[in-house]
Structure formats: structure tokens, C-alpha cells
Amino acid sequence: GDSVTQMEGPVTLSEEAFLTINCTYTATGYPSLFWYVQYPGEGLQLLLKATKADDKGSNKGFEATYRKETTSFHLEKGSVQVSDSAVYFCALRFNNNDMRFGAGTRLTVKP
Amino acid sequence: KAGVTQTPRYLIKTRGQQVTLSCSPISGHRSVSWYQQTPGQGLQFLFEYFSETQRNKGNFPGRFSGRQFSNSRSEMNVSTLELGDSALYLCASSLQQGDGYTFGSGTRLTVV
């Protein structure tokens, strides 16, 4: 079935470091792809999305490009801040089906 | 506009009891989905409602049920609670099926 695999954490970076969180998907077609972020004690917040191949989603300095050749949607940020510390989830959704989430990657940014 | 509202935020129940959780979606959103989040299993899909009809259902036992009202508000019910039902239950709404979700803050259920 359709599924998402993301890199296992935790990931620990120093402030202003470059961030990459890998995400690959398995699907029979071309789903919409999403990144969500979850801060402690809260629900998930949509960070960015892409609905078709080669689309680039971006928000708050984060970017991800929908690559159908490599079935990937890696999350990147050029310079992380302490406030970016959270758990990040990659997800896919086909049309009227439920959204499938990866296991989540915990990011800790140290000053 | 108001976000997705889930009540209550925290709940402690005894094994064998039943519980009802409530979710009010963003105004105008007709699709409501429920997820269970645990450290071991991650985010698992429970069910989705659209215009009062259950459209999708995850792989959970029949003890887990839900419904949606004409104003799009949704409830989920868990009967005969087990210790393993302890989790964060998240509700999410979307304008149409296939869109991205907007999540509520969740209801933290602890079964003792």
C-alpha cells in the first residue's frame, strides 16, 4: 500500500546549521505530499505541501521539492534556529484516501 | 477564524469504561478525520467523515466508532477501554477530501 519512509532521528544540530530530513514514498500514482511539524503538547501544523511532480513547497525558510524520479520529498532549511526544535512528519495523500504519515523525525537545535 | 477545537484536552478513564471525544472543525470544512498517536505506533488513521457519512475507516476494532453531525462537528467513541487505548487522539479537518489537514491540539486519553 501507499506509505512514507522518513529518516530516523533524533537529529541534533547547532544553530545556523543546514538541515535535511529525508523522505521517500511508495505509491501507485502521484499523491500530494506534505510536511507537518509538531511542537510539544500540540497537534500537527502543516508546514508545506506539493501537489505534483517538480513542485516546490516552501514556508518559514523550509523547502521541499516533489521528485517523482526518486519518489522523494526531502525537507531542507538553510539555517536552523532553536525555535525549529520539534518533530517533523512527512505525509502523502491520494484524492479521497486517508493521509499516510511517516514515523516522524525529532529535531533538536542547540544554541 | 477559529481553528479545529477538540474537547476535552485531557481525560483519565478506568479500564472497561467508555469515552466520547469531541471535535469542532474549521467553519466551512466538511471533512473530519481522526488519528491515534502513540510513541510506538506513530500516527494511525481511525476514520474520516464527510458530510455526515463515513468515507474511510482504518484498521481499528469495532470498539472505536464515530459520527458527524449536520454542522460538521464530529465525535468519536471508544467503548470498553483498554490500557493500550492510552494515546493522543487528533482530529483534523479539511475543506474538501484530498486537501491537506488542519489539526486540533488533541485529546490526551489515559486509561488506568
Side-chain angles (χ1 to χ4, degrees):
Chain A
D2 304 331
S3 64
V4 171
T5 302
Q6 61 182 104
M7 65 186 285
E8 292 189 21
V11 174
T12 302
L13 296 173
S14 297
E15 206 165 24
E16 298 184 2
F18 184 86
L19 168 70
T20 300
I21 300 178
N22 290 338
C23 171
T24 57
Y25 68 89
T26 301
T28 53
Y30 302 109
S32 294
L33 300 174
F34 305 85
W35 276 100
Y36 281 84
V37 59
Q38 186 176 33
Y39 298 101
E42 299 183 14
L44 279 68
Q45 299 176 24
L46 178 62
L47 185 57
L48 52 84
K49 69 177 183 180
T51 57
K52 61 183 187 296
D54 299 325
D55 268 2
K56 176 186 282 189
S58 61
N59 186 25
K60 300 179 182 178
F62 291 90
E63 293 184 341
T65 301
Y66 191 140
R67 303 280 189 203
K68 70 174 183 179
E69 316 81 36
T70 53
T71 62
S72 65
F73 193 55
H74 304 322
L75 181 68
E76 297 181 335
K77 187 176 185 183
S79 176
V80 294
Q81 306 300 311
V82 172
S83 57
D84 293 326
S85 297
V87 180
Y88 292 81
F89 293 90
C90 185
L92 67 79
R93 191 174 192 189
F94 261 124
N95 298 325
N96 295 335
N97 293 331
D98 58 290
M99 189 173 287
R100 306 287 172 88
F101 289 87
T105 302
R106 182 176 300 279
L107 169 66
T108 301
V109 181
K110 298 190 171 181
Chain B
K1 56 183 176 183
V4 178
T5 304
Q6 291 188 246
T7 56
R9 285 297 307 273
Y10 302 94
L11 209 48
I12 300 176
K13 289 288 189 177
T14 303
R15 194 171 42 180
Q17 289 186 312
Q18 75 162 16
V19 67
T20 299
L21 312 182
S22 179
C23 171
S24 293
I26 289 175
S27 178
H29 283 196
R30 297 160 64 191
S31 175
V32 174
S33 297
W34 290 88
Y35 283 81
Q36 180 195 67
Q37 185 179 28
T38 59
Q41 300 297 318
L43 283 151
Q44 292 189 283
F45 173 70
L46 282 154
F47 25 66
E48 177 184 14
Y49 288 87
F50 184 81
S51 295
E52 301 180 67
T53 301
Q54 187 180 89
R55 286 299 186 96
N56 292 303
K57 188 177 190 305
N59 191 27
F60 277 80
R63 300 185 297 107
F64 292 81
S65 63
R67 58 178 176 170
Q68 186 180 33
F69 302 95
S70 58
N71 61 358
S72 293
R73 190 177 71 84
S74 178
E75 289 181 346
M76 67 163 282
N77 184 276
V78 187
S79 62
T80 319
L81 284 165
E82 300 177 359
L83 297 179
D85 297 333
S86 295
L88 180 66
Y89 289 88
L90 292 165
C91 168
S93 74
S94 59
L95 186 60
Q96 299 179 58
Q97 285 187 286
D99 286 348
Y101 291 154
T102 300
F103 280 86
S105 296
T107 294
R108 171 77 59 187
L109 172 65
T110 302
V111 182
V112 298

